Amino acid sequence: MLTRREWLRLALTSGATVCTFGIVGCGKDELQKISRGAVSIVRGEVILYDTYAMALYMDGGLGPKTGIIKVDYVLANQPLTLDFWHGHGGILHRYTVTPEHFSQLKKLKQVTLETTEVEDHTHKLFIDPNDPKWRVPGAQPVHVPIP
């Protein structure tokens, strides 16, 4: 369930919501649904899509796709270790998505992770549940309950 503060933050950052309130008022029924860009939030749930984890180069630039974070993983809420997109001498960098990360994704927050160390270095990557450009093509919307 959204707190009043979270609801206000979402409402004020959504031009569509502000316009809607101007037209239909601000009754209890209207508070049930808030729209934010391409992501819809309903009290008690969010809509998520299978999303690419995106690598970042050491200079901070965008790297390649490095795995898919499926909504099923978010729903399972169990630590998950995945291979990064490359390694060295047959040893891959890996990264772990934890229940804490899944909790952040359910709050529609971008998560930044770091890989395991291989040959004295690590890499960073991110998972962004908001921007449709990181969605897996054909990914279907899934209603995910939030506490």
Side-chain angles (χ1 to χ4, degrees):
M1 177 146 80
L2 291 175
T3 66
R4 178 177 284 161
R5 179 172 284 161
E6 291 169 327
W7 183 88
L8 285 171
R9 179 179 51 83
L10 291 170
L12 292 174
T13 60
S14 172
T17 301
V18 173
C19 290
T20 300
F21 288 147
I23 296 169
V24 300
C26 193
K28 184 177 179 182
D29 293 338
E30 287 81 17
L31 298 179
Q32 293 295 318
K33 186 169 184 179
I34 301 169
S35 185
R36 182 177 173 212
V39 178
S40 178
I41 302 171
V42 176
R43 185 178 293 177
E45 68 180 30
V46 294
I47 296 177
L48 295 177
Y49 297 80
D50 292 347
T51 303
Y52 288 114
M54 296 301 301
L56 294 169
Y57 288 121
M58 291 184 184
D59 66 2
L62 185 62
K65 297 170 185 147
T66 185
I68 295 174
I69 306 304
K70 296 180 180 182
V71 178
D72 288 344
Y73 303 157
V74 176
L75 291 168
N77 203 37
Q78 297 297 311
L80 176 70
T81 300
L82 299 166
D83 292 335
F84 192 61
W85 70 282
H86 84 105
H88 307 274
I91 301 172
L92 289 173
H93 292 279
R94 303 190 86 194
Y95 60 96
T96 300
V97 189
T98 66
E100 293 79 21
H101 296 128
F102 295 132
S103 176
Q104 293 300 305
L105 294 171
K106 288 179 195 176
K107 293 176 184 173
L108 302 177
K109 293 184 179 181
Q110 180 174 306
V111 173
T112 302
L113 304 164
E114 193 165 345
T115 67
T116 55
E117 186 175 309
V118 178
E119 291 191 4
D120 298 323
H121 73 276
T122 62
H123 295 274
K124 291 192 185 264
L125 61 126
F126 69 87
I127 305 162
D128 184 348
N130 290 307
D131 195 331
K133 71 181 169 186
W134 308 127
R135 285 187 197 153
V136 174
Q140 297 299 304
V142 178
H143 294 261
V144 176
I146 55 175

